[in-house]
Structure formats: C-alpha cells, structure tokens
Amino acid sequence: MTVVPRPREGDVPYNDPITRSVDPGNKLTVTFQPKQQVSEFVLPILAVSKHPNSSYEVWKDGERIYGPAPIPPTDIDDLTATWYPARRFSTSLKVICRNLSDTTTRRYSVQPIGWEVSRE
C-alpha cells in the first residue's frame, strides 16, 4: 500500500481501534486525539465497519471532511488508504456512525491508522 506522505523516522505510529454496539436509531460518536504533545497527526487510513442502513461522518479539527455518507471511508476488513495524500489534523478526529435501522442493533468498529509527527 502506498501512503503519501511517508512517515519519517521518529514519528509515532497510531492504531487505536474501538468497537461499540449501537441500538436502532442511535449513533456512536468517537473522538480521537493525539497522545503525544504534537502539532500534527497524519491519517492516511480510517476504517469503519460497513453496515446497511447506516450513515458515516468524519470531522477533523471541527471541519467535516467526509459524509454524511451511506458507506464508511474504507471498510474495516479492507484497510486501504482512505485519503491520498493523507489528511492531517492537530486537535481531534471525530467519527459519527448512525444506525438508521428500525430494528437491528449493530456493532461498529472504528480504526484510525496513522502517525503523530515527531517534533525532532
């Protein structure tokens, strides 16, 4: 898989999946923040469980960058690059998964994969 830009030596890898059940008509909101005290986070891959009757939305630093859409940026089983070049954010990444079903509880996994830019 090609990722642009490429991480540099000293950058800190990030892969922090989370899974939650969402009842019919409800939503899951997950917020990710850099763990290091850095000014930039690079996000080439954002994978989310793909379900019918769902809506997906992604925000970085308060700006919507994806959705609402009926499919996720990439499916959790694919793990392909979502953005080329990779998206960057400095304070937060928020992912919203809405279960639009009237009857089915669903499990959503959200997996941002990227790195925090090293200050060095």
Side-chain angles (χ1 to χ4, degrees):
M1 161 181 25
T2 302
V3 175
V4 174
R6 298 189 57 81
R8 297 176 304 167
E9 187 173 330
D11 288 346
V12 179
Y14 188 88
N15 185 346
D16 190 17
I18 187 167
T19 300
R20 298 286 185 273
S21 291
V22 180
D23 290 331
N26 288 317
K27 69 179 179 180
L28 167 66
T29 302
V30 182
T31 302
F32 299 93
Q33 297 174 314
K35 297 192 183 302
Q36 309 292 316
Q37 295 300 318
V38 298
S39 61
E40 190 170 43
F41 186 99
V42 181
L43 181 73
I45 301 169
L46 177 60
V48 184
S49 300
K50 182 178 175 182
H51 294 292
N53 296 320
S54 295
S55 175
Y56 303 89
E57 200 169 328
V58 181
W59 295 73
K60 71 169 185 86
D61 296 334
E63 170 194 6
R64 183 173 43 215
I65 60 170
Y66 186 83
I71 60 171
T74 193
D75 191 345
I76 203 84
D77 294 326
D78 294 338
L79 289 183
T80 58
T82 306
W83 290 287
Y84 188 82
R87 292 288 191 159
R88 298 170 181 264
F89 65 93
S90 59
T91 58
S92 68
L93 174 74
K94 180 169 67 171
V95 180
I96 303 168
C97 304
R98 289 182 174 85
N99 182 354
L100 303 176
S101 171
D102 292 332
T103 58
T104 306
T105 296
R106 296 198 168 98
R107 288 177 54 86
Y108 291 90
S109 294
V110 179
Q111 185 175 17
I113 301 173
W115 62 90
E116 297 176 22
V117 176
S118 172
R119 292 185 195 187
E120 301 170 4

